[in-house]
Amino acid sequence: MVGFWHRLGTKGKALYSATLSPPFSSPLTLPHIWVPTQTPNRPLSSGFHPVKTGATGQTRSAAEIMSGKPIAKDIKLRVAAEISRMKAAIGRLPGLAMVLVGYREDSHAYVHIKLKACNEVGIETSIVQLPQDCTQDRLIDVVSSFNSNPSVHGIIVQLPLPEHLDEETIINFVSPEKDVDGFHPLNMGNLALRGREPLFIPCAPKACIELLLRYRVEIIGKNAVVIGRSKIAGLSTSLLLQRHHATVSTLHSFTNNPEQIIRRADIVVSDVGIPNIVRCDWLMPGAVVVDMGTNSVKDPNSPRGFRTTGDVCYEEAIKVVSAITPVPGGVGPVVISMLLSNTLDSAKRAYGFT
Amino acid sequence: MVGFWHRLGTKGKALYSATLSPPFSSPLTLPHIWVPTQTPNRPLSSGFHPVKTGATGQTRSAAEIMSGKPIAKDIKLRVAAEISRMKAAIGRLPGLAMVLVGYREDSHAYVHIKLKACNEVGIETSIVQLPQDCTQDRLIDVVSSFNSNPSVHGIIVQLPLPEHLDEETIINFVSPEKDVDGFHPLNMGNLALRGREPLFIPCAPKACIELLLRYRVEIIGKNAVVIGRSKIAGLSTSLLLQRHHATVSTLHSFTNNPEQIIRRADIVVSDVGIPNIVRCDWLMPGAVVVDMGTNSVKDPNSPRGFRTTGDVCYEEAIKVVSAITPVPGGVGPVVISMLLSNTLDSAKRAYGFT
């Protein structure tokens, strides 16, 4: 370790240290044949052409567009196949339960997408919708009933909740064994602590890493900047990137001169929620950008009157970065497929099915 | 939020956002009169002369030596006073239990220091020492008995454990309500998640923040670099600094060119475990350095044949930094006082004593 750190200090080159745990890989990233996960002792096959990141790579004439659609499709197919195998073997299906409080346009849209995806792969779903003014006790009753229901393997409390309900208390009530969102502090703690394996990792960071790995972006030792620190995306992505041995800087609304820090990043993950806030002059040429923003902007030309855009000014960014996720069609579809994957994993654990 | 982030992007100045939770403060940092904790809406009193950090501050002709001894003494006095008050009111004392497996020179030295400190403030202690080859079940039995013992309010399993014992499993067995080390994943998760209050914060990061606050170092919006990511110090310090709204970058053995990143930091926290690895040319003039390293180096002039030194080359650093913790006498004494404080807090919770 001493020698290692001294080399690190003098030569300025990162080496793999046996004293560190290997990079974390989600169950779905390990078995890929066409996309082996990054393990320091298994260099990228020369048969592939990985996206080089940042200063250590070359700027491409055209940025690689990291579409999430084919990845989501692949994951869905594999989840569906596993569910069929489980059904054939033990006659059981995974079950996902969702709780909605009151009515929010966006929440209902998300729930609709989740229902559709579950239906595609064969996950049973149940939804309880409670009135806007429901009591905390009533919500806890519903969650508790799902906790004790053996045919429910995943529980989602759709956020945000109305002001009068304590989100923290509710999330604490979700059984960590059914916490497919990965927001329970026990799962978050096991995500933060290297060497530990959380039962569930939040879907957004899993999707981010999946995209990077599938598009063969080097993560180990790279300077990664995560803009935003929500538990849904930013915070958990920082923790997961660090498990993959990136050097992670987490930016937030107290950060001074964020653009200066972002400009030094090989990998930029944005979780801000403001359309086009990240401009091309914030990005290092050759950087890889994962845009987690899902922002609605008015668009009279759209039949719905609005369109979805990310945090990154896409038109500017593609001129300087080496790879970028589009919005829509980038992280979003993969996030949903990760929810299916988490629910399947939970059911397999519950039934001891391997 | 939009306007805020836009200001952030264009003006490059951090402003306090009402949408963010206020900085986290440990129970012991809040009540200070002579050292108010940093809250964005309460600017530092002009009556004080805070240590200015990094580029935004001025380099001092002489670095401020952030001694931990007076802070540790103050905390011990206040813990002792609280224990006396509790004893007088309800006739109870806090109890700390420690488990040691096998014999390690350093572990026994640490336990000795903890015992001495507990004795000074009036915390009852009990120690169980198990043989080097004890079984996991036996160790779990001991931890379980402490979990169920109402006169025990804090449990420490002295780390590292022998190879054949699974540290993770053992730490999971410590009741989160008695986890005064703060290593249980539930407490670590609540530390990572803003807005949540862990029952216990690990003592090293608490000591780091306490030192910064007492020496009036601005944390909010500052670029902080934490070198190392152990759960005992580095990882948990990164999480706590982020709760105080620093912009935190966590460096580790995979980091490329760490000195370049450290050189941009207003606040440098070192948790490497290698004597003098951080040299003066790694530090920005005016930076504030918290050295968490506790390294033994041979010293024929010392009666013990060795002396304790930090990770930072102190003689070099004091010429460029604005403030630095010495080793020994910096973080160390405060860490021990934080253990006393955590144990007192736990006893107060257990007895409902306020």
Side-chain angles (χ1 to χ4, degrees):
Chain A
M1 184 65 178
V2 172
F4 170 77
W5 272 94
H6 276 304
R7 279 200 302 281
L8 186 65
T10 53
K11 288 190 186 170
K13 279 184 60 60
L15 303 171
Y16 188 69
S17 163
T19 62
L20 289 177
S21 61
F24 179 90
S25 296
S26 70
L28 271 164
T29 54
L30 265 178
H32 301 158
I33 294 161
W34 64 281
V35 186
T37 55
Q38 294 185 331
T39 54
N41 47 7
R42 190 212 298 174
L44 293 167
S45 153
S46 58
F48 293 95
H49 303 293
V51 174
K52 289 271 176 51
T53 54
T56 58
Q58 77 280 7
T59 311
R60 300 192 164 198
S61 54
E64 172 144 17
I65 308 307
M66 299 191 288
S67 170
K69 291 176 183 173
I71 297 172
K73 186 179 176 186
D74 176 69
I75 293 171
K76 277 185 182 174
L77 286 172
R78 288 155 11 82
V79 168
E82 277 294 281
I83 290 174
S84 304
R85 190 172 68 86
M86 189 165 87
K87 186 180 181 183
I90 61 172
R92 305 280 194 173
L93 291 174
L96 178 65
M98 286 178 264
V99 192
L100 267 163
V101 181
Y103 185 86
R104 281 178 57 108
E105 194 71 49
D106 55 354
S107 293
H108 277 70
Y110 290 136
V111 168
H112 173 75
I113 294 168
K114 293 169 186 173
L115 281 177
K116 185 167 172 291
C118 286
N119 184 59
E120 285 170 24
V121 297
I123 292 173
E124 288 181 347
T125 51
S126 53
I127 297 185
V128 169
Q129 177 164 331
L130 298 169
Q132 177 76 18
D133 62 352
C134 84
T135 64
Q136 181 130 323
D137 289 347
R138 175 61 189 135
L139 179 51
I140 285 172
D141 286 344
V142 172
V143 171
S144 303
S145 69
F146 284 139
N147 283 342
S148 56
N149 183 340
S151 65
V152 169
H153 310 103
I155 301 170
I156 291 175
V157 179
Q158 191 63 46
L159 304 176
L161 293 169
E163 285 295 322
H164 70 285
L165 299 171
D166 180 20
E167 182 180 307
E168 182 178 325
T169 306
I170 304 299
I171 289 175
N172 286 353
F173 254 88
V174 174
S175 163
E177 284 75 32
K178 301 187 178 187
D179 173 41
V180 286
D181 267 339
F183 297 157
H184 192 288
L186 193 62
N187 284 318
M188 203 61 81
N190 281 320
L191 176 62
L193 290 161
R194 273 179 314 128
R196 286 175 173 264
E197 295 296 321
L199 289 173
F200 302 100
I201 297 170
C203 300
K206 267 181 95 167
C208 172
I209 296 294
E210 187 76 10
L211 274 154
L212 293 174
L213 293 176
R214 293 246 192 172
Y215 284 93
R216 318 203 41 70
V217 175
E218 301 169 50
I219 301 175
I220 296 172
K222 295 297 177 184
N223 289 335
V225 161
V226 178
I227 317 170
R229 49 178 172 170
S230 71
K231 68 172 177 296
I232 296 173
L235 165 69
S236 44
T237 302
S238 293
L239 297 174
L240 191 54
L241 277 167
Q242 199 169 120
R243 285 184 80 124
H244 282 267
H245 306 306
T247 302
V248 181
S249 302
T250 308
L251 275 48
H252 47 75
S253 46
F254 287 92
T255 299
N256 285 309
N257 305 315
E259 60 274 35
Q260 285 180 16
I261 302 169
I262 297 165
R263 221 173 273 131
R264 294 189 287 259
D266 303 310
I267 298 170
V268 176
V269 178
S270 180
D271 167 38
V272 184
I274 300 166
N276 303 318
I277 186 173
V278 179
R279 309 303 298 262
C280 63
D281 62 344
W282 290 28
L283 300 166
M284 175 168 70
V288 170
V289 176
V290 177
D291 190 344
M292 288 186 166
T294 309
N295 313 300
S296 292
V297 292
K298 286 183 179 171
D299 182 1
N301 302 327
S302 158
R304 296 177 304 170
F306 68 90
R307 61 184 168 82
T308 303
T309 184
D311 298 336
V312 180
C313 187
Y314 186 80
E315 296 69 21
E316 288 183 6
I318 52 174
K319 296 171 186 161
V320 294
V321 302
S322 63
I324 184 170
T325 57
V327 178
V331 177
V334 187
V335 171
I336 299 299
S337 67
M338 286 303 176
L339 173 64
L340 307 177
S341 157
N342 278 355
T343 307
L344 169 63
D345 292 344
S346 184
K348 285 173 134 185
R349 264 196 298 266
Y351 296 129
F353 181 73
T354 52
Chain B
M1 183 65 178
V2 172
F4 171 76
W5 271 93
H6 275 304
R7 279 200 302 280
L8 186 65
T10 52
K11 288 191 187 169
K13 280 186 57 62
L15 303 171
Y16 187 67
S17 162
T19 63
L20 290 176
S21 60
F24 180 88
S25 297
S26 69
L28 269 165
T29 54
L30 262 178
H32 300 160
I33 294 161
W34 65 283
V35 187
T37 56
Q38 293 185 330
T39 52
N41 47 7
R42 191 211 298 173
L44 293 166
S45 154
S46 59
F48 292 96
H49 303 292
V51 174
K52 288 273 175 53
T53 55
T56 58
Q58 76 281 9
T59 312
R60 300 191 164 197
S61 54
E64 172 145 17
I65 308 308
M66 300 190 288
S67 170
K69 290 176 182 173
I71 298 172
K73 185 180 177 186
D74 176 69
I75 293 171
K76 277 184 181 174
L77 286 173
R78 288 157 8 83
V79 167
E82 278 294 281
I83 291 174
S84 305
R85 189 172 69 86
M86 188 165 88
K87 185 180 182 183
I90 61 171
R92 307 278 195 173
L93 290 174
L96 178 66
M98 287 179 263
V99 192
L100 266 164
V101 181
Y103 185 86
R104 281 178 56 107
E105 195 70 49
D106 55 354
S107 293
H108 277 69
Y110 289 135
V111 168
H112 173 75
I113 293 168
K114 293 168 186 174
L115 281 177
K116 186 167 171 292
C118 286
N119 183 61
E120 284 171 22
V121 297
I123 292 175
E124 289 180 346
T125 50
S126 53
I127 297 185
V128 170
Q129 177 164 330
L130 298 169
Q132 176 77 18
D133 62 353
C134 84
T135 64
Q136 181 130 325
D137 288 348
R138 176 61 189 135
L139 179 51
I140 285 173
D141 285 345
V142 171
V143 171
S144 303
S145 69
F146 285 139
N147 283 342
S148 56
N149 183 339
S151 65
V152 169
H153 309 103
I155 300 170
I156 291 176
V157 178
Q158 189 65 45
L159 303 177
L161 292 169
E163 285 295 320
H164 70 285
L165 300 171
D166 180 19
E167 181 180 307
E168 182 179 327
T169 307
I170 303 299
I171 289 175
N172 286 353
F173 253 88
V174 174
S175 163
E177 285 73 32
K178 300 185 178 187
D179 173 40
V180 286
D181 267 339
F183 297 157
H184 191 287
L186 192 63
N187 283 319
M188 203 61 81
N190 281 321
L191 176 62
L193 291 161
R194 274 179 315 129
R196 287 175 172 265
E197 295 296 320
L199 289 172
F200 301 99
I201 298 170
C203 299
K206 267 182 96 165
C208 172
I209 296 294
E210 187 75 11
L211 274 153
L212 294 174
L213 293 177
R214 294 247 193 170
Y215 283 94
R216 318 209 35 75
V217 176
E218 300 169 53
I219 302 175
I220 296 172
K222 295 297 178 185
N223 289 334
V225 160
V226 178
I227 317 170
R229 47 177 173 171
S230 72
K231 68 173 177 297
I232 296 174
L235 165 69
S236 43
T237 302
S238 292
L239 296 174
L240 192 52
L241 278 166
Q242 201 169 121
R243 285 184 81 125
H244 281 266
H245 305 306
T247 301
V248 181
S249 302
T250 308
L251 276 47
H252 47 75
S253 46
F254 287 93
T255 299
N256 286 307
N257 306 315
E259 59 274 34
Q260 285 181 17
I261 303 170
I262 296 166
R263 222 174 273 131
R264 295 190 287 258
D266 303 310
I267 298 170
V268 175
V269 178
S270 181
D271 167 38
V272 183
I274 300 165
N276 302 319
I277 185 174
V278 178
R279 310 301 299 261
C280 63
D281 62 344
W282 290 29
L283 300 167
M284 176 167 69
V288 171
V289 175
V290 177
D291 190 344
M292 289 187 165
T294 309
N295 313 300
S296 291
V297 292
K298 285 184 180 173
D299 181 359
N301 302 329
S302 157
R304 295 177 302 168
F306 68 90
R307 60 184 169 81
T308 303
T309 183
D311 298 336
V312 180
C313 186
Y314 185 79
E315 296 68 20
E316 288 183 5
I318 51 174
K319 295 171 187 161
V320 295
V321 302
S322 63
I324 185 169
T325 57
V327 178
V331 177
V334 187
V335 170
I336 299 298
S337 68
M338 286 302 175
L339 173 64
L340 307 176
S341 155
N342 278 355
T343 307
L344 169 64
D345 292 342
S346 184
K348 285 173 136 187
R349 264 197 298 267
Y351 297 129
F353 181 73
T354 52

